[in-house]
Amino acid sequence: MVITAHPDDAEYSFGGTVARLADAGTEVVYVVCTDGSQGGEDPSVSDADLTRRRYAEQQDAADLLGATEVVFLGLRDGSLTPDVPLRRALTREIRRHRPELVLTHQPLRSLVFPIGASHPDHLATGEAALAAVYPDARNPRAYPELLSEGLTPHRVQEVWIPGHEHTDFYVDVSPYLTRKIEAIQRHKSQFADDVDPTAALAWVVNRLSGNGQVAGCRYAESYRRIITEAAAGAEAVTAEATP
């Protein structure tokens, strides 16, 4: 399960990993928290029209990477907080789809990476997703109304968040670079002012290349890997891997 704040976040942060998992036969579900209505700079476009366009772009990009389903929570873009309603909504999706792995945003503001990595919606989504993974989704006493919906507790085994300055895990995405970039470009509404969208994404390729140099491959996506069971997590926290 990939839990993101906005349409297009999944492709930027996890696109190569999603494609690799999907090609290996893994079912990948997206949960997009906001309606994407602040992802545009033309005030003449209505929020509703922009949201419709961004949802269609997200579905198109997810299909290209091989995701099996996209869930849109439809919350107001720019207004997320890691509150109980968001935690409950994410817990519902985790219990419904029962993922082994969750990929989501880092809940900590980075003082090293560009400021866009620490968008407030990203921070809120990361915190709410981690709270939904533990303790909410596994706790039968959390949100008892979900039990009446047939949504029983579920334990997520791992969470991967973009590593930023805390990276300890790398995924070799060398064969998937072209597909990742193409998936990002499917979000055409976000490149309206770019004469050459490919040039605008050079920084993405450069970052993946830098990760690859560390991981021993050409291109890699980097993560902080969280093993949700405490004993296993303590052993895994310093591991570097290129699965």
Side-chain angles (χ1 to χ4, degrees):
M1 177 174 284
V2 178
I3 300 175
T4 66
H6 311 106
D8 82 5
D9 288 340
E11 286 68 49
Y12 276 105
S13 295
F14 316 116
T17 301
V18 168
R20 178 170 178 162
L21 289 170
D23 280 7
T26 303
E27 292 188 9
V28 181
V29 175
Y30 280 21
V31 178
V32 181
C33 294
T34 77
D35 60 9
S37 61
Q38 290 196 18
E41 298 183 4
D42 183 353
S44 68
V45 177
S46 71
D47 286 358
D49 285 346
L50 182 57
T51 293
R52 279 192 292 270
R53 182 175 181 185
R54 298 204 70 193
Y55 279 10
E57 292 170 344
Q58 178 62 97
Q59 185 67 63
D60 190 23
D63 289 344
L64 175 63
L65 295 177
T68 54
E69 183 178 346
V70 181
V71 178
F72 296 104
L73 298 184
L75 302 174
R76 174 70 179 170
D77 194 349
S79 68
L80 291 186
T81 58
D83 56 13
V84 167
L86 180 56
R87 288 170 56 178
R88 182 190 297 113
L90 295 178
T91 298
R92 176 179 283 108
E93 297 306 321
I94 289 171
R95 290 190 186 182
R96 184 161 72 94
H97 294 281
R98 313 186 79 76
E100 298 175 13
L101 168 67
V102 166
L103 293 86
T104 192
H105 297 287
Q106 177 171 289
L108 306 172
R109 182 172 291 277
S110 174
L111 301 181
V112 175
F113 273 60
I115 197 168
S118 298
H119 188 295
D121 284 346
H122 293 185
L123 304 181
T125 298
E127 178 58 35
L130 284 169
V133 166
Y134 179 87
D136 296 348
R138 62 172 64 190
N139 184 359
R141 299 184 66 84
Y143 319 124
E145 64 273 21
L146 298 182
L147 296 177
S148 66
E149 298 176 24
L151 300 176
T152 56
H154 174 70
R155 290 175 178 255
V156 174
Q157 296 176 19
E158 297 189 26
V159 181
W160 299 355
I161 61 176
H164 300 334
E165 59 265 49
H166 306 292
T167 295
D168 66 357
F169 190 76
Y170 297 87
V171 175
D172 181 355
V173 297
S174 303
Y176 302 101
L177 175 68
T178 299
R179 209 154 119 208
K180 173 186 174 82
I181 296 300
E182 184 179 346
I184 295 172
Q185 291 174 333
R186 294 290 175 94
H187 297 274
K188 294 180 180 178
S189 64
Q190 305 305 293
F191 295 96
D193 297 328
D194 292 309
V195 176
D196 184 357
T198 301
L201 294 174
W203 67 270
V204 176
V205 178
N206 290 339
R207 182 167 297 167
L208 296 179
S209 177
N211 291 338
Q213 291 176 23
V214 177
C217 58
R218 190 169 183 188
Y219 299 107
E221 290 178 337
S222 63
Y223 298 101
R224 179 70 173 187
R225 184 186 184 200
I226 301 169
I227 309 297
T228 61
E229 299 304 323
E235 296 172 0
V237 76
T238 60
E240 288 191 4
T242 307

